[in-house]
Amino acid sequence: AAEITVIGVTKVSSDAGLTAGNLIGTSSDGQADAKTPGTDTTEYIVGQMVTTTGAAGVIGTAIVNCASPVRGA
C-alpha cells in the first residue's frame, strides 16, 4: 500500500543532489528537483528539503504543500 502526502513532512527521492533548504518541485520523472524562483518560471514549487541528499535516487525528507503549489515566478 502507498501513502500520499498532500501537506506535511514526507520522504522524497531526489533527481540530483539536493541541499537542506532547497525549494523543490518535480522533475519529468516524478523525483524531487530543485527549483529556483525567478528562473523556473513555468514550473511549480511544492516544498522545501529538510535533509541533504548526495546524489540522484537518494531518499531525503521534505516539507510539502501540494494543495497550494506556487509557480517559480
Side-chain angles (χ1 to χ4, degrees):
E3 290 185 22
I4 298 172
T5 301
V6 177
I7 299 173
V9 177
T10 190
K11 300 287 185 187
V12 295
S13 176
S14 62
D15 191 54
L18 297 170
T19 303
N22 279 148
L23 297 176
I24 58 168
T26 57
S27 63
S28 60
D29 61 358
Q31 294 178 306
D33 185 28
K35 303 297 180 193
T36 304
T39 300
D40 296 314
T41 57
T42 61
E43 301 184 40
Y44 287 90
I45 296 170
V46 295
Q48 186 171 21
M49 290 300 294
V50 175
T51 60
T52 297
T53 63
V58 176
I59 303 296
T61 302
I63 299 169
V64 297
N65 181 354
C66 298
S68 183
V70 295
R71 288 187 63 170

